Amino acid sequence: MKPAVKPQNPNFSSGPCSKYPGFKLDVLKDALLGRSHRCGIAKERLNYAVKKTREILGVPENYIIGLVPGSDTGAIEMAMWNLLGPRGVDVINFESFGKTWANDVKNQLKIENMQSISADYGYLPDLSKVNFDNDVVMTWNGTTSGVKIPNGDWIPDDRKGLTIVDATSAVFAMEIPWSKVDVLTYSWQKVLGGEGAHGMLIMSPRAVERIESYMPPWPMPKILQLRKKDKLMMDVFEGSPINTPSMLCVEDYIKALEWAESIGGLKGLIQKSNENLNEIEKFVETHDWIDFLPVSKEIRSNTSVCLKIKLDQDQLNALVKLLDKEGAAYDCKSYKDAPAGLRFWCGATVNKEDVACMLQWLEWAYGEVAKA
């Protein structure tokens, strides 16, 4: 039967993701609109955002955290353009964004000693093939495949190269083994449901040493530059971004960080994401027409949950449109480059009650299109 109750929040987009529960525009009423981001009070807010980020994520004190332009894409490309070149590069890719970084290394930076360690959607590559004498670029969680790297045990502490991690759909939902990571990037618009266009760049002392000892041979656009007179531009990590940030978005990020703190910080965020995934796992176990795209539970993402479903393309399109029309689930179709299916964001800004309610509508909608 058609369900009688709809999710209170039907937003299941994998980016921009749902705002945190209880969000209202009024919480941004004190944002520093019309003020220079370089004035004292604005720099205080920017540094406060970095301070709360460090506290919630448990970032080591000797790692630096900066706000950069261009969302996660800007942050990861800033890292690659500034750091790569003196060693070979291994790129681990198992979904569309990892493939993009591999293409950048090969065709934009033109690094000859480059190895692409890849796997099809739903699989994790053979990580034993990674050469840690090289620099290593990877996505920690495949936003478009629903596959995650389960841990960092395979990364040696005595590696010679740097590890550069795109963690935009992992951070705030999964434990990050900081001793295994030299560079980590993400955007605000994933697990915390912030607004787009701003990225975060976190770097270890090893990454800082690389920037100050190596000059890349390629032209560097101003918006990507991290080096000035043979030194790291520390201003970027001290409340003075390269270009003007939106102070409205900064305030929104701060409010999301404070909300995260209110539910138990990283532990609470991970718990909520896992509870959401568990709702879908219970549903999949009892319905033979739907399954996870990842081939094993160990590599199953708890944020961008990707599913395959026994429908042809026309039926799948009809299902997605029906869920949208009924206000039961928005933006749940799989990524355009991924295998046809469904993708539901299950990060911490989504409530498990809404996931459970949405699944009732999914069951009804499947019945409607399958019999049509």
Side-chain angles (χ1 to χ4, degrees):
M1 294 180 61
K2 187 175 184 178
V5 179
K6 295 181 181 180
Q8 291 187 9
N9 177 12
N11 296 325
F12 293 98
S13 164
S14 290
C17 300
S18 176
K19 306 298 284 186
Y20 58 85
F23 170 82
K24 291 189 178 357
L25 284 172
D26 287 351
V27 303
L28 305 180
K29 65 181 184 300
D30 295 327
L32 294 172
L33 305 183
R35 295 298 306 272
S36 167
H37 69 289
R38 302 188 190 281
C39 75
I41 190 171
K43 289 185 71 171
E44 287 178 9
R45 294 308 277 169
L46 288 160
N47 284 320
Y48 177 72
V50 167
K51 175 177 177 289
K52 300 309 290 184
T53 298
R54 186 182 300 277
E55 290 174 357
I56 292 172
L57 291 179
V59 179
E61 284 299 321
N62 61 345
Y63 283 49
I64 57 176
I65 305 173
L67 191 164
V68 300
S71 197
D72 176 63
T73 300
I76 190 73
E77 294 198 333
M78 180 178 285
M80 291 194 297
W81 259 247
N82 280 274
L83 295 166
L84 297 183
R87 292 180 176 271
V89 180
D90 285 14
V91 184
I92 301 167
N93 63 92
F94 46 94
E95 49 93 52
S96 60
F97 290 101
K99 291 175 182 176
T100 296
W101 312 146
N103 180 71
D104 282 352
V105 172
K106 180 179 180 180
N107 298 316
Q108 299 297 323
L109 301 182
K110 301 185 185 304
I111 295 175
E112 293 184 1
N113 182 12
M114 180 265 188
Q115 177 182 206
S116 177
I117 303 170
S118 62
D120 291 335
Y121 282 88
Y123 295 84
L124 195 64
D126 181 357
L127 300 178
S128 68
K129 294 181 178 179
V130 179
N131 178 7
F132 285 98
D133 286 346
N134 292 338
D135 294 326
V136 182
V137 178
M138 71 190 88
T139 51
W140 199 263
N141 182 78
T143 312
T144 66
S145 69
V147 170
K148 70 175 183 180
I149 294 176
N151 58 61
D153 297 347
W154 54 283
I155 302 173
D157 292 329
D158 61 351
R159 60 192 177 275
K160 294 180 180 178
L162 300 176
T163 50
I164 300 174
V165 177
D166 171 357
T168 196
S169 59
V171 73
F172 295 109
M174 304 172 192
E175 293 283 357
I176 301 296
W178 289 106
S179 66
K180 309 291 188 176
V181 174
D182 292 301
V183 179
L184 183 139
T185 69
Y186 68 93
S187 68
W188 299 345
Q189 48 104 347
K190 294 294 186 183
V191 179
L192 293 187
E195 296 305 303
H198 299 78
M200 298 295 281
L201 175 63
I202 303 176
M203 296 200 301
S204 73
R206 297 181 75 235
V208 173
E209 192 278 332
R210 170 72 63 83
I211 283 180
E212 295 188 341
S213 63
Y214 164 68
M215 173 67 78
W218 38 77
M220 188 81 68
K222 176 179 173 57
I223 205 165
L224 295 182
Q225 291 176 14
L226 282 175
R227 175 187 171 110
K228 187 174 183 180
K229 294 182 178 179
D230 298 329
K231 292 291 184 182
L232 176 70
M233 293 170 57
M234 278 303 298
D235 288 357
V236 175
F237 304 91
E238 295 173 346
S240 295
I242 289 173
N243 71 334
T244 305
S246 162
M247 294 307 296
L248 184 65
C249 292
V250 169
E251 197 64 29
D252 181 67
Y253 178 55
I254 288 172
K255 298 304 183 189
L257 289 166
E258 292 175 342
W259 167 80
E261 192 172 47
S262 76
I263 66 165
L266 183 60
K267 183 177 179 180
L269 294 167
I270 293 174
Q271 180 179 335
K272 284 201 68 178
S273 294
N274 287 341
E275 288 174 349
N276 291 335
L277 172 61
N278 184 247
E279 291 294 328
I280 297 183
E281 287 177 332
K282 290 186 294 184
F283 184 84
V284 170
E285 287 173 2
T286 55
H287 296 78
D288 63 3
W289 46 265
I290 192 168
D291 200 358
F292 289 94
L293 181 59
V295 296
S296 67
K297 186 171 183 175
E298 181 188 28
I299 61 172
R300 192 179 293 165
S301 172
N302 65 346
T303 57
S304 52
V305 178
C306 295
L307 303 161
K308 50 189 178 181
I309 187 168
K310 292 180 180 178
L311 294 173
D312 64 32
Q313 189 63 60
D314 289 340
Q315 290 173 318
L316 176 61
N317 292 339
L319 172 71
V320 171
K321 289 180 181 178
L322 186 55
L323 291 172
D324 185 286
K325 178 183 176 182
E326 294 289 346
Y330 299 137
D331 309 317
C332 62
K333 189 175 181 180
S334 59
Y335 188 72
K336 59 184 177 65
D337 294 336
L342 300 173
R343 178 175 62 161
F344 294 99
W345 183 257
C346 286
T349 58
V350 175
N351 285 330
K352 66 178 180 180
E353 293 81 8
D354 286 329
V355 176
C357 186
M358 173 275 294
L359 291 169
Q360 294 178 28
W361 282 91
L362 175 59
E363 183 173 34
W364 168 80
Y366 175 81
E368 292 295 302
V369 301
K371 70 184 180 183

